[in-house]
Amino acid sequence: MSEGYESDAFGDRSDREGPDETAPGQERTFAALPPAKGRRFAESWWGLAWLKALEDTALDGQQLKKGRRFAREGRVGAVSVRPGRITAVVRDREESGYRSDVLLQELTEGEWDRFLDVAVERAGHIAALLDREMPPHLVEDAAAAGVDLLPGIGDLDPECGCEAWDHCPHTAALCYQVARLLDQDPFVLLLMRGRGERRLLDELQVRIAARAAGRAPSDTADEPAGETGDRAVRGIPAAEAYAAAGILPPLPPVPALPDGPGPAPSLDTETGPGPGLDPAALEMLAADSAARAHLMLAQALSPGHGQQPVPAGLTPGQDAVRLAAEARPEPWIANRLAAGSGRRPAGLPAAVRAWQYGGAAALAVLDEEWTPDAAAMARARTRLAGAWEEDEAPRLRSERNRWTSADGTAQLRYGRDGRWYPYRKENGRWAPAGPCDEDPAAAWADAAVPADV
């Protein structure tokens, strides 16, 4: 027999089950509880249901009153709980000690099977049990399946050394004291019904794994782990998996980040492509997807990634420019990307350069002309004026969010992100000239550099 002694009545339970708990004689022993003066014996609904079964069963109310007094005075010794029986030595007012037992019918194997099936049916059932709660729906669902967890009238059968044939003060005191234990840990009741906590959680784990694989628990007996034969494998609801986290094995460690994305598959085969399919474009998309997946994995593994804001998604036009900037496609693919971004082929290089300098925000500055807040423009003029001597300051004409040099070769553009973007005139077109800056004077240094420098 394995005895798991509690460190105190309701404290640390690290040693509550011995290594042989699954043996037929599994047992938990709770130290004697302190007197219960001025408090109810049960607060939880299942603890109160236990006491109701006692009070409805006992024929002599006076014996129950004496039992309550014995329990309140701390006359119940250490309580042993095992399948079908609870036991304690109870002292009376004369200090005579009597071994008292209360018997409760164990569930059959078939009843346990039905109970376990019911328990894994709802994610909240397992979560509540792990939180030391007895969810009402679990009891109701079990009853609907023909399994009565809580005792009813006549289910608490007394045996006492005082040789009373009904509930005596000693067995009554034992039941009142056990109600306090049940209040804190409903697994005490499940042990009385025949299953200790560890064995019960192990059996629940088997059922959860079987449900995730889309098969009955009995189907796992003759198959190697991980093999499901021809059975369909289905998923498991996230709420159910989360609720079962306390009894499932830990996840394996996160694998190391690969050195780089894997090579793209070659689509150069003897079979010709289908109508409208371009193998070279598909190979480029596959390589780009692998590179992005590697980058996203590296970001996910970096410290503090969970606190970073989720980046905004790209429009098809923005993504076409991104592909042209990052994948460096062949010219005929670049022409298709230009069309996908809503541009002519001649306008794609400027869009690619903008993306390389600042991503989607810089691309928006290339395409948008808008009217900024007057106060922001006034602050920018002040900063520009303070950056040069009076006779050295650049002469700029402003139009909405664009400030252009007097000779028409350099330009500053103000973005909606509050930054300034330098531009230069190249072959008759405005093109991004460098990264953005919050200081317009710093951004102007890039815009004013001649194109051939």
Side-chain angles (χ1 to χ4, degrees):
M1 178 183 298
S2 170
E3 295 188 356
Y5 287 89
E6 307 294 329
S7 63
D8 55 51
F10 303 136
D12 179 21
R13 293 184 173 85
S14 61
D15 206 19
R16 61 172 164 258
E17 306 284 359
D20 300 326
E21 185 205 328
T22 56
Q26 58 191 353
E27 180 177 349
R28 289 173 66 179
T29 301
F30 296 83
L33 301 181
K37 295 179 181 180
R39 69 179 299 275
R40 299 172 65 183
F41 284 98
E43 300 291 340
S44 65
W45 74 268
W46 60 91
L48 293 172
W50 167 270
L51 291 180
K52 187 176 188 305
L54 166 68
E55 293 164 358
D56 288 346
T57 299
L59 299 177
D60 189 344
Q62 293 301 317
Q63 302 284 47
L64 293 184
K65 289 182 180 179
K66 290 181 180 179
R68 281 197 297 271
R69 285 199 298 269
F70 285 180
R72 287 196 184 281
E73 293 169 0
R75 296 183 176 277
V76 181
V79 177
S80 173
V81 182
R82 55 192 184 278
R85 181 182 296 266
I86 54 176
T87 305
V89 173
V90 181
R91 295 177 292 106
D92 60 19
R93 293 287 177 85
E94 287 73 33
E95 297 300 325
S96 298
Y98 296 91
R99 169 174 169 152
S100 301
D101 295 79
V102 175
L103 282 59
L104 179 63
Q105 183 67 44
E106 295 182 54
L107 300 181
T108 65
E109 289 296 325
E111 288 172 327
W112 273 114
D113 282 340
R114 294 198 296 277
F115 170 77
L116 293 167
D117 287 339
V118 165
V120 299
E121 201 60 38
R122 297 195 199 187
H125 289 343
I126 300 173
L129 284 174
L130 292 175
D131 203 29
R132 306 292 163 186
E133 298 278 343
M134 180 68 76
H137 291 308
L138 174 58
V139 176
E140 293 168 1
D141 292 348
V147 181
D148 292 322
L149 287 179
L150 293 168
I153 298 176
D155 286 346
L156 301 179
D157 189 15
E159 291 182 356
C160 186
C162 73
E163 299 183 353
W165 61 273
D166 187 27
H167 276 286
C168 62
H170 312 106
T171 57
L174 172 58
C175 286
Y176 280 110
Q177 209 72 318
V178 167
R180 296 173 66 183
L181 300 178
L182 289 173
D183 240 20
Q184 301 299 318
D185 191 349
F187 282 102
V188 172
L189 174 62
L190 297 172
L191 175 56
M192 281 188 273
R193 286 299 196 183
R195 289 288 192 277
E197 179 178 350
R198 187 163 300 155
R199 179 179 177 185
L200 180 62
L201 295 181
D202 287 346
E203 292 178 345
L204 284 171
Q205 180 179 337
V206 170
R207 274 170 167 73
I208 292 170
R211 289 189 68 198
R215 52 187 170 176
S218 59
D219 294 336
T220 62
D222 299 325
E223 290 187 12
E227 296 184 10
T228 59
D230 296 330
R231 296 182 181 88
V233 177
R234 67 176 181 84
I236 184 170
E240 187 173 320
Y242 181 80
I247 63 174
L248 294 175
L251 293 174
V254 177
L257 179 70
D259 293 335
S266 175
L267 301 180
D268 185 13
T269 64
E270 296 180 359
T271 304
L277 294 180
D278 186 336
L282 286 177
E283 288 181 0
M284 184 202 73
L285 289 174
D288 175 71
S289 297
R292 293 181 68 195
H294 184 267
L295 175 61
M296 293 171 68
L297 180 58
Q299 292 171 341
L301 295 176
S302 64
H305 175 70
Q307 283 70 50
Q308 299 300 317
V310 178
L314 301 181
T315 66
Q318 290 171 334
D319 201 44
V321 174
R322 182 197 64 79
L323 273 169
E326 297 177 1
R328 296 177 179 153
E330 297 292 338
W332 67 87
I333 298 178
N335 289 341
R336 294 178 62 180
L337 291 174
S341 68
R343 307 170 195 278
R344 296 179 180 276
L348 185 61
V352 166
R353 194 185 300 180
W355 185 272
Q356 291 169 336
Y357 280 134
L363 188 61
V365 171
L366 172 71
D367 297 331
E368 295 178 358
E369 187 173 352
W370 59 288
T371 302
D373 178 74
M377 296 297 96
R379 288 193 296 270
R381 289 189 183 93
T382 300
R383 297 189 72 171
L384 280 173
W388 290 278
E389 297 294 337
E390 184 174 350
D391 57 346
E392 296 178 352
R395 296 170 54 197
L396 303 176
R397 64 178 186 275
S398 63
E399 184 174 357
R400 305 187 75 184
N401 68 318
R402 300 180 180 184
W403 291 4
T404 309
S405 64
D407 60 4
T409 60
Q411 189 178 79
L412 287 179
R413 297 187 180 186
Y414 187 65
R416 295 184 185 272
D417 58 357
R419 292 177 170 83
W420 292 89
Y421 291 77
Y423 273 72
R424 280 196 301 268
K425 185 69 72 67
E426 298 178 3
N427 300 321
R429 296 174 179 271
W430 287 111
C436 63
D437 201 298
E438 293 183 354
D439 183 357
W444 181 257
D446 287 325
V449 175
D452 57 353
V453 173

